[in-house]
Amino acid sequence: MGLATAWFDWAVHLTVSPARVYELVLEAQRAALKLGSLSWTMMQGHGECVPCEHSLPHDKRFRSVAWQQWPFALYAETLLATERWWDEATSHVHGAAPHDLAKLNFVARQALDCFSPSNFVLTNPDVLNRTRASHGTNLLQGLAHAADDMMKVMHGRRPAGADAFQPGKNVAITKGEVVLRTPLVEVIQYTPATEQVRPEPIVIVPAWIMKYYILDLQSENSLVKYLVDHGYTVFMISWKNPDARLRDIGFDDYRAEGIARALHAALTITGAPHAHLVGYCIGGTLSAIAAAAMAQNHDDRLQSLTLLAAQTDFTEAGELRLFIDESQLAVLDDIMWEKGVLAASKMVGTFNLLRSNDLIWSRLIHHYLLAESEATSDIAAWSLDATRMPFRMHSEYLRGLYLNNDLAEGRMMVDGKPIALQDIRIPLFVVGAEWDHVAPWTSVYKAHSLFETDITFALTNGGHNQGIVSPPTHTNRHYHILTTPARDLRTDPATWLKSAPLNDGSWWPAWIKWLESRSGSPVAPPNIGDPSHGLPVIAPAPGCYVFE
């Protein structure tokens, strides 16, 4: 119904805009003539075509040299020209709702991706070359891979290689103890690795859409270990994977029973008056809400706030927002009401659609057509370890933030009172990622328009996960960074990008320096837990919630 409405909106407004129709016809004619000229020139043996030069930066389908030859270059150029034309056809249609145009564009893009020449044996030169070289055994092996994957899905087994990464064994291995367990969270305190630590603890709020250990993978790429090794006392929230019994847990319960409890535990154990709060993805959004609520109540226990790939204004929330309108939410509510939770597989499927080229079609080509074995990385294994969403929280979150944008527009209520991000006066460190499909960096950047405080913004290369999990040992990393004082004028993202210095390497060291400048002199490490205040050592990290 939502797609039909979007199509009708586009078609009607285009029909009554003859000048726009004429422009699109001319654009199609120009593209056809260019493709015809390209084909004739290449058939005569004059020159080559490089299709990837006309594709988006993250589109890797046509980067092989084999795609530069006729007729494969023509296949690729035809698809890319069609994509460009469709982008033009679903923009600048006077009177049509932007949300409907974006939805129609997204769905058409998905359809075009299905029919990409890279997906078929006879139109993919890399597959043809592999088939000739192996005398067709790659297709037989690919068929075996497909049958094996089908059996895994039918029996609920994880993909090959995913079981090689187990929390507590080779991921989530930073030493620590669970010092608080509630029906919603476990709070982990990590063991100090230095003789002295900064007095202010760091409380990390991960997203509850997935497990927390994206920030504590293996020792060489664990953000937690990096912080501990640099002299910080770190506390991590590990969220419970909810079932139907927690169907009525609301969005604000994650703040009150999650952030508030973890912050209290961290300050009680360390004896510090202030803490650094760090939020990732939806955990960052909630951290901003918690900080605003604390500011309104004159609660000054926060020393700083760090938001990692987290949005506070959802007007430019990317393609994920296309899945959300009132009619779609009503249907989703009905489905979730019956079961009490949103199944993890549905959330993973949605995220896969946002990057279908990388997460769906690329796998089809490499695993089934080229018969290449999949090497599962720690991040890939983590991404398969999905969680469920409680009915009430999911509904409140999507309606309040994605649909109504209540936080940015001052309608978000906490304890019966509206909160304002402008009340936050502590310094902010905000990180966006260039290729983030979940929280586009231009959307994350909108924090500049909402917070009236000093903002240090870092833009790193990579996506939603790889951009954040960016240890100094990784190669080919870079980031832009610039601080905007509270009283300075705010600029648009493009202007900011031109003025922000480019640095090679990981943004982690820059963040450490930023934290150090806002932390006290090192002191002796605190004890693990505090039984006298109801915070005993319960179990070793990573706890038990991470296994649910």
Side-chain angles (χ1 to χ4, degrees), residues 221-237:
N221 61 351
S222 168
L223 181 61
V224 169
K225 186 176 185 301
Y226 188 78
L227 289 168
V228 171
D229 288 346
H230 282 77
Y232 286 92
T233 301
V234 178
F235 292 80
M236 172 71 76
I237 291 177

Side-chain angles (χ1 to χ4, degrees), residues 24 57 64 68 146 157 171 193-194 250 268 283 309 311 344 363 375 381 390 469 481 517 519 540:
L24 293 175
S64 167
Q68 299 177 12
R157 300 199 308 267
V171 292
T194 54
T268 299
Q311 299 170 102
R363 182 176 185 271
V469 184
I481 190 167
S517 66
S519 301

